[in-house]
Amino acid sequence: MTVLPANRALLPAIAAGFLVFSITLAAADILDFPTTRSDLSAEELKRVRDVTRATSNFLKAEPYETMQGGSLTSIDKVTRDIFSQPSANLNPEQGQDFHLGNALFRKLWVSAPSSTQASDGLGPLFNARSCQSCHVRDGRGHPPEEVGAAATSMVLRLARPAATPEEEQAVKDFHALNFPDSTYGAQLQDLAVPGLAAEGKVTLSYSEETVTLAGGETVTLRKPMYGISDLAYGPMNVNTTISPRIAPPMIGLGLIEAIPDADILANADPDDKKGTGIRGRPAIVRDHRTGQLALGRFGWKAQNATVRDQVADAFSIDIGISTSDRPNPYGDCTAKEPQCLAMPNGVQERLGTTEAPDPVLPLVTFYSENLAVPARRTTSQPTVLHGKDMFYRSGCAACHTPKFVTRDGLKGSDGKDSPQAFQLIWPYSDFLLHDMGEGLSDGQQVGVASGRDWRTPPLWGIGLTQTVSGQQAYLHDGRARTLTEAILWHGGEAEKARNAFAGLSKDDRQALINFLESL
């Protein structure tokens, strides 16, 4: 068995400073990103700044706080399918596209050749047969529940450091985020079509440590150790790192993409000029379609700039289905896996040049952009308001920025007015990268993100995790079984906030958790 701990911080290349180059000035200064919004007049800009300013009044709920996804918010009854509702402001034509995208999101792909030619092309190596397999009910994934269980909604990303000056330059120029394992590619595929061996199996074990909080309450944290058994195609590169990633919830993605670059960059402070200890940095990537530099917003390390980039990547790497954006029908197969490359693919000439010809990708993208954020519950309850106060006082809002207003005059990919335009939203994220400490490090560089860096995840909908997913699993690898555990794993820039939470009285800590559960 190959055991590759998630924390590979002592790899020689990384220890020597492998491309850990920080953006030491605002990205807007270096890369000519906008420093102010161009979609608003001076008067409108002032109104937006006023409405998004952090509150200091915790005696009552803020105006529109319940509708955390703006006019797109779902006010449907809370059930296990609450994350699967469409944006509330879709017109009939958009509603039809949403439901078509939903059908394709749930579609089970099969191996080629098949009598169902519009559905074949799976793999040949893959992690899931459909998008819905990982994002069950459009919610959060989880690690394997027991030894030997299928990973399904968790994957192991594989990457090695740059090995040549040319590769180093490619990362510096944002043409590469990192480099795949020469045999197993960018991700371990633990499933395969008939007649082909899967790449390997995920192994997972935990050690435990006990944390004592103010007042004597104790919490047990579990520290994961990941490995890979039954490697089918030879050894892995000795410098390959692995990073476990559970599937994130799907709600509000279109709204996140609609936040102006300038408003995200306004919160960046890589040199800590404010003296807060918070050094949020933007993830700079290239848009996969245009090749232009863009602000990374999606993925655990903000490695994708758009929802479409994220969807195309998942089709290719997770399912092994080619699309117009990623036309390789063999997905993540490598030259050292000739059996995989010799398998039939699902390209049907009469249907197009890819296994999922357009409009599959645009429709799944539209569906992903328009999964509604549910309305908040118990917003005005005294204990929730008190917990919100504790959230702010503990410093959580320094990274989990409460609210934004999306771009005005926004157009969709169809050229029509976008449902996401000019909405007051409450994602509770700054969408920047932060050093989260050695405890959460995976040792894997992803573009400008070091092994210790993670994008601040949005918190909207987090209180419905148990309802939607049937269990709770938080952080990038699902190690935290409760919100309290998730907070206690925070380190690095977030250690001060973590310690403030741990030092609260039991009632104050519970109030803060109640606030999170209301989101």
Side-chain angles (χ1 to χ4, degrees):
M1 179 179 76
T2 298
V3 176
L4 297 172
N7 183 348
R8 295 290 299 277
L10 297 182
L11 281 173
I14 296 177
F18 154 61
L19 293 182
V20 185
F21 57 94
S22 298
I23 297 180
T24 56
L25 299 173
D29 295 335
I30 294 179
L31 300 170
D32 198 28
F33 276 66
T35 57
T36 189
R37 295 181 61 159
S38 60
D39 60 320
L40 304 176
S41 67
E43 181 180 352
E44 289 170 331
L45 185 59
K46 181 180 182 302
R47 288 170 51 203
V48 166
R49 287 174 176 169
D50 287 343
V51 78
T52 56
R53 185 173 293 115
T55 187
S56 58
N57 181 358
F58 302 100
L59 299 178
K60 62 179 181 179
E62 297 175 71
Y64 314 113
E65 189 173 5
T66 299
M67 302 293 284
Q68 54 185 347
S71 66
L72 287 71
T73 303
S74 170
I75 57 173
D76 284 26
K77 180 181 178 181
V78 172
T79 69
R80 59 190 286 184
D81 295 317
I82 189 60
F83 283 3
S84 301
Q85 306 309 309
S87 298
N89 62 352
L90 298 183
N91 63 38
E93 183 180 355
Q94 291 168 331
Q96 182 179 24
D97 286 346
F98 178 88
H99 291 295
L100 288 171
N102 182 21
L104 292 166
F105 190 85
R106 296 169 180 267
K107 180 187 184 78
L108 291 172
W109 296 87
V110 298
S111 58
S114 168
S115 58
T116 55
Q117 293 184 354
S119 298
D120 68 358
L122 176 68
L125 295 166
F126 61 98
N127 295 103
R129 290 182 58 197
S130 72
C131 307
Q132 184 76 9
S133 298
C134 294
H135 301 276
V136 179
R137 291 184 290 278
D138 304 293
R140 189 182 302 267
H142 57 84
E145 297 179 35
E146 56 186 29
V147 176
T152 308
S153 60
M154 187 189 78
V155 299
L156 298 184
R157 299 291 289 188
L158 309 177
R160 63 167 176 81
T164 66
E166 291 76 18
E167 289 183 344
E168 290 185 1
Q169 192 62 46
V171 176
K172 289 181 179 179
D173 292 340
F174 307 103
H175 289 299
L177 297 172
N178 50 34
F179 299 92
D181 184 81
S182 58
T183 299
Y184 294 95
Q187 187 166 293
L188 181 80
Q189 276 84 33
D190 57 356
L191 298 171
V193 298
L196 186 68
E199 291 182 321
K201 296 179 181 178
V202 177
T203 65
L204 172 59
S205 61
Y206 294 101
S207 60
E208 294 187 341
E209 61 181 82
T210 301
V211 177
T212 302
L213 308 178
E217 180 184 356
T218 60
V219 177
T220 300
L221 304 182
R222 57 179 190 174
K223 182 177 181 179
M225 175 67 74
Y226 295 94
I228 302 171
S229 66
D230 304 328
L231 285 172
Y233 301 97
M236 199 172 280
N237 187 301
V238 294
N239 287 329
T240 293
T241 59
I242 70 172
S243 180
R245 314 277 179 87
I246 63 170
M250 298 287 294
I251 57 173
L253 300 185
L255 290 168
I256 294 170
E257 189 169 329
I259 299 172
D261 289 350
D263 285 358
I264 293 177
L265 294 170
N267 293 316
D269 190 14
D271 293 328
D272 193 22
K273 293 180 179 179
K274 298 176 183 177
T276 62
I278 305 299
R279 300 172 176 268
R281 295 184 294 123
I284 306 302
V285 299
R286 289 194 182 271
D287 184 294
H288 294 175
R289 298 179 74 194
T290 67
Q292 298 299 308
L293 291 174
L295 188 62
R297 301 164 187 251
F298 302 102
W300 285 104
K301 298 212 176 195
Q303 65 268 26
N304 285 314
T306 66
V307 178
R308 180 161 172 148
D309 281 353
Q310 190 81 357
V311 172
D313 184 76
F315 263 122
S316 178
I317 304 298
D318 297 347
I319 309 177
I321 293 293
S322 58
T323 63
S324 53
D325 286 17
R326 290 179 175 262
N328 176 16
Y330 294 99
D332 198 32
C333 296
T334 72
K336 292 186 178 181
E337 297 170 319
Q339 304 96 316
C340 181
L341 297 175
M343 300 295 287
N345 65 60
V347 176
Q348 308 293 332
E349 187 174 340
R350 64 184 180 83
L351 298 176
T353 58
T354 61
E355 293 163 319
D358 286 346
V360 172
L361 180 59
L363 285 170
V364 175
T365 299
F366 185 82
Y367 172 75
S368 301
E369 290 171 340
N370 282 286
L371 285 160
V373 179
R376 282 187 58 190
R377 291 83 46 215
T378 64
T379 308
S380 297
Q381 278 191 2
T383 183
V384 170
L385 291 169
H386 178 58
K388 181 180 176 181
D389 188 10
M390 295 299 100
F391 182 85
Y392 276 71
R393 287 177 184 269
S394 297
C396 306
C399 299
H400 291 282
T401 304
K403 45 191 169 174
F404 293 90
V405 172
T406 60
R407 290 194 299 275
D408 195 14
L410 190 66
K411 299 292 183 181
S413 57
D414 57 2
K416 299 178 181 178
D417 290 343
S418 168
Q420 284 79 27
F422 210 50
Q423 301 293 322
L424 172 62
I425 61 173
W426 305 72
Y428 283 92
S429 171
D430 60 7
F431 303 101
L432 297 171
L433 297 169
H434 293 275
D435 180 343
M436 294 298 292
E438 198 58 36
L440 290 178
S441 176
D442 63 355
Q444 189 171 104
Q445 188 90 8
V446 181
V448 301
S450 75
R452 294 164 57 110
D453 288 336
W454 300 95
R455 181 201 71 155
T456 307
L459 297 180
W460 50 16
I462 198 167
L464 295 170
T465 300
Q466 179 71 43
T467 300
V468 173
S469 302
Q471 58 181 286
Q472 298 184 71
Y474 304 107
L475 304 176
H476 66 280
D477 55 4
R479 69 178 70 186
R481 297 158 293 187
T482 66
L483 292 170
T484 296
E485 287 184 34
I487 295 170
L488 294 176
W489 271 109
H490 284 47
E493 296 172 40
E495 187 168 4
K496 184 177 179 180
R498 177 260 184 218
N499 291 342
F501 171 78
L504 294 174
S505 70
K506 184 175 182 179
D507 288 346
D508 286 348
R509 286 196 302 271
Q510 186 56 54
L512 193 154
I513 297 299
N514 290 346
F515 164 69
L516 293 176
E517 290 175 342
S518 78
L519 296 178

